[in-house]
Amino acid sequence: MVIFQEMNDFQKWYSIFWKTKYYKNNQICYNSAKPKDNKILLIKQGILSVQTTNRQGEKTNSEILVAGDIVNIEALKEARGEWDIPGLIQYQVVALGLVEIYEIEKEFLLSHLYVDPRQYHQFFERTIIQLINVSFSYAISNKRPQDKIAWTLFRIAEKVGEQHKKDRNLIILPSFVTQTFVSEMSNTGKSRATEAYRALLKNGVLIQRHGHKMIDFKRLLNYLKQEVLSDYSISKATNQADESFFKKG
Amino acid sequence: MVIFQEMNDFQKWYSIFWKTKYYKNNQICYNSAKPKDNKILLIKQGILSVQTTNRQGEKTNSEILVAGDIVNIEALKEARGEWDIPGLIQYQVVALGLVEIYEIEKEFLLSHLYVDPRQYHQFFERTIIQLINVSFSYAISNKRPQDKIAWTLFRIAEKVGEQHKKDRNLIILPSFVTQTFVSEMSNTGKSRATEAYRALLKNGVLIQRHGHKMIDFKRLLNYLKQEVLSDYSISKATNQADESFFKKG
């Protein structure tokens, strides 16, 4: 993100408008029950998990955030609407490993962004992409566990996957991506997730090797195209998903 | 939306950058299989439904769009990312009644918005609100049909509800909001939706009177707070939903 470099330049002069905060593994970086309406929390470095609580009081991982994402996106809303439910989803955001977060005065961030519309647009784009992805998660929420999990693996790989140095088609997943983590993020019951996991291991989409969990990207893509995406075409003939768009690196 | 008034002022001079298109009830205004990447479709007036197709080839209503919403939000993305799936959800957008849409050159719209950051921010805010709402729909996708339908009724009332002239607590829903429509938008099976509907009629959240479907807003809100929202609090004691925020008009 360009914004970080620029911000580093300004850091010395404008330091009254922000501070950098550091968190260790498992530390809570934000709790929506104690909102910071005047500050925007922008992730400088690290990986974070958004957690909600279910009826039994258990924490559930529901989203991954990475550098460039905003922790408290609702704080970017200027006005509270008539139909706004404050704290619609109560959540907390937890560090997975070492994390650095810019805590920026909202008014400063906005006016800074207004000066450079391209930077502003980058924030907007990220939100649009997130909206499209979450809309799709919602659209397939009644589908087979296997499909939901395949889609969740795609989303996780996109955010935190690391390309294998020798075989560029393999995406290595970080160790926090356990079966439980995936089942939570995909809104799938644990026992059904186990079956789905087995099926994805069997058809080679998911690979377990030397203690690492990896994804065969082409296979995952083909699976999604054939089993999941094709269901959501207005006209199946016009489905435009094209492998060339997915080539990474 | 402020933008419309301003746009009307500029309309005579800049008409090469846009045109207004008119649609009748049930006309297809947009199909994502034939994207218009260089044009942003901004709703000037009317109500539209976003439809996808299920495995059986049936159309499913999944979202409502109103004045100020953008029909093809994905066109606002500047660059195609490496992990981008083109046409992730194939959808079409259909007019519910008479509709007017501005078809605006993307570059013109963006540069026009850059000049007035507040207008730009309005677009951004709408997307944030949509993201929060869809995220919540996804979070409760495994919950009871009654909860999903109550939440969907809230979303519909927010978008297209009309406040009753005498009893401001009653929200009248338009006639296209049939039980099928609600069950589709809430991702609930039709038979389970019927039960849930009955329960909401019985507890007075939903009212059927003189052929009109209405919502008792206070009851709906209390229902959501007690049955749905409280499940998603990190700390139930800190749930801040407050009726004063919902007063309309």
Side-chain angles (χ1 to χ4, degrees), chain B residues 5 29 78 116 127-128 137 150 155 181 186 206 225 236:
Chain B
Q5 288 152 20
C29 308
E78 294 265 41
D116 186 344
T127 308
I128 292 171
S137 297
R155 291 203 62 203
F181 188 94
S186 64
L206 202 59
K225 280 161 72 172
K236 298 194 182 194

Side-chain angles (χ1 to χ4, degrees), chain B residues 3-68:
Chain B
I3 197 166
F4 298 137
Q5 288 152 20
E6 275 224 25
M7 279 183 168
N8 280 326
D9 298 341
F10 286 117
Q11 200 149 19
K12 285 168 199 160
W13 298 282
Y14 289 102
S15 58
I16 44 163
F17 295 114
W18 65 26
K19 33 189 177 196
T20 310
K21 291 214 166 172
Y22 303 87
Y23 298 92
K24 287 179 203 163
N25 192 32
N26 274 327
Q27 259 194 301
I28 296 170
C29 308
Y30 183 69
N31 184 334
S32 68
K34 298 167 199 150
K36 297 187 177 180
D37 289 339
N38 300 323
K39 297 210 194 313
I40 305 298
L41 309 183
L42 175 63
I43 301 164
K44 183 186 174 193
Q45 204 173 301
I47 300 169
L48 299 97
S49 173
V50 180
Q51 299 180 335
T52 52
T53 305
N54 65 14
R55 211 178 268 262
Q56 288 75 40
E58 299 160 342
K59 302 267 179 300
T60 299
N61 293 288
S62 58
E63 185 65 276
I64 292 172
L65 300 177
V66 296

Side-chain angles (χ1 to χ4, degrees), chain A residues 33 53 76-78 80 82-83 90 118 120-121 125 138 142 185 187 217 231-232 240 245 248, chain B residues 33 53 76-78 80 82-83 90 118 120-121 125 138 142 185 187 217 231-232 245 248:
Chain A
T53 305
L76 270 180
K77 290 194 291 165
E78 294 265 41
R80 211 185 271 284
E82 287 156 342
W83 289 80
Q90 294 287 352
R118 294 281 147 184
Y120 196 110
H121 198 75
E125 280 201 339
Y138 177 55
N142 287 337
M185 206 175 137
N187 250 336
F217 192 66
D231 266 10
Y232 290 88
Q240 296 175 1
F245 287 110
K248 223 200 159 188
Chain B
T53 305
L76 269 181
K77 291 194 292 167
E78 294 265 41
R80 211 184 270 285
E82 288 155 343
W83 288 80
Q90 294 287 353
R118 294 281 147 184
Y120 196 109
H121 198 76
E125 280 202 338
Y138 177 56
N142 287 337
M185 206 175 137
N187 249 336
F217 193 66
D231 266 11
Y232 291 88
F245 286 111
K248 226 200 157 187

